[in-house]
Amino acid sequence: MRTEITVPTQMPKGHTKSRAKPQITVRMASPRGFCAGVERAIKTVEETLSIYGAPVYVRHEIVHNAHVVARLSAMGAVFVESIDEAPDDRPIVFSAHGAPQSAHAAAEARNLVKIDATCPLVLKVHTQAKRHVAAGRQVLLIGHANHPEVVGTMGQADDGEILLVQTIEEANTIAVKDERALAYATQTTLSVDDTAGIIAALKKRFPDIAGPAKEDICYATSNRQKAVKTAAPGADLFIVIGSPTSSNSVRLVETAKAAGARDAILVEDADQFDWSILEGVSTIGMSAGASAPEHLVEAFLTALANRRTLDIKTIETAKENVVFNTPLRLAS
């Protein structure tokens, strides 16, 4: 699709029209922005506020985006890192990233109204990990240390039953209990290419290792990375709208660089962008992480249109129609 966006300017009578803004080509990657799991998590907090009133407590940021968190905070959501910070008489919502079993047990021990907004694709990884452990297999989890999704998955079993693998080097050196009783799982928001290398290393070292029938990396992560790979080659600059705490947003920046963009950066919003970077730039690519609202993309394009004449080309590599059901406690 080819679209030109200009911002009309009314000049006072007798003034000459200023020189036209230079043109810039913008390759918009699609799909981008919110995925079904993020939409479900945000809606869960909104519906909990509607049913129970404010305040509603949320364990960890519901999704990794400062704008989303700020909006929900203004509505009455209180974000905490520990169940201990939530009072007895208010609901507690578990974030999209999932939580260890100990956090669920702590909420249940206090009879808190517990509402689980964990992404169903993350819950699938939890279920797989617990099934492998129950079958006597030690699980090697490919992911990033201290990411809440990894903390939640590792917390589905006793210490030592799930081990973290972050690099190919670790895959080649990690000590296991029994090489014949292993399985692997992955954090859902990783780079498809990086994960493939670690999986290959594990399979080479442990030929009997069990794995999921389908990769754990979620459809939305895969789709956004594929779109970026298509839009990035030859771009002078690739811009990803998202928060630095968002793993999938950071991976999109890495994907753009690897795919051939001359440079790629992560930007929270138009206000945080250094517009001087665009000097000498004629083609940019754009995407947004799965937790970034589309209005941030639109605001960036509006700000850009104040400076350049935009020639927008949409690069669509997939259509998404996935919808996840509301958590049972709210549905009932």
Side-chain angles (χ1 to χ4, degrees), residues 109-162:
R110 293 173 54 196
N111 292 316
L112 298 182
V113 173
K114 181 170 70 77
I115 300 167
D116 192 359
T118 303
C119 174
L121 298 179
V122 175
L123 287 175
K124 184 191 78 169
V125 177
H126 289 185
T127 300
Q128 291 173 346
K130 289 187 284 190
R131 185 178 297 134
H132 285 305
V133 170
R137 301 185 189 95
Q138 194 174 27
V139 177
L140 303 182
L141 175 64
I142 302 168
H144 293 145
N146 301 319
H147 188 280
E149 183 184 328
V150 167
V151 172
T153 301
M154 295 188 72
Q156 300 305 308
D158 294 337
D159 289 347
E161 296 297 334
I162 303 177

Side-chain angles (χ1 to χ4, degrees), residues 240-264:
V240 176
I241 304 295
S243 292
T245 52
S246 167
S247 175
N248 74 86
S249 298
V250 174
R251 303 289 84 73
L252 290 179
V253 174
E254 297 170 352
T255 298
K257 290 180 180 178
R262 198 188 314 172
D263 195 10

Side-chain angles (χ1 to χ4, degrees), residues 169-225:
E169 181 181 3
E170 289 181 0
N172 289 327
T173 58
I174 192 167
V176 299
K177 293 188 295 186
D178 184 350
E179 294 186 359
R180 297 164 299 176
L182 294 174
Y184 73 86
T186 70
Q187 181 182 333
T188 64
T189 55
L190 296 181
S191 161
V192 176
D193 295 334
D194 289 347
T195 304
I198 298 173
I199 292 172
L202 289 175
K203 288 182 175 179
K204 181 178 179 180
R205 185 180 173 198
F206 308 118
D208 296 327
I209 194 169
K214 192 175 181 181
E215 295 300 339
D216 289 333
I217 293 174
C218 83
Y219 78 93
T221 298
S222 299
N223 286 347
R224 280 149 189 72
Q225 289 178 11

Side-chain angles (χ1 to χ4, degrees), residues 7 21-22 270 273 275 278 300 302-310:
V7 178
K21 298 188 292 291
F273 186 66
W275 296 99
L278 293 183
F300 188 94
T302 299
L304 180 58
N306 286 324
R307 297 164 171 84
R308 299 286 191 95
T309 298
L310 308 189

Side-chain angles (χ1 to χ4, degrees), residues 23-36:
Q23 181 170 293
I24 189 169
T25 297
V26 184
R27 299 176 186 166
M28 300 297 299
S30 179
R32 64 178 177 273
F34 279 178
C35 63

Side-chain angles (χ1 to χ4, degrees), residues 6 11 49 55 70 72 84 93 143 168 175-176 185 192 205 208 229 233 237 242 253 275 288 292 304 320:
T6 58
M11 300 298 295
L49 283 163
L72 293 175
D84 294 340
V93 178
I168 292 176
V176 299
V192 176
R205 185 180 173 198
D208 296 327
K229 286 180 181 179
L237 177 66
V253 174
W275 296 99
L304 180 58
E320 294 180 350

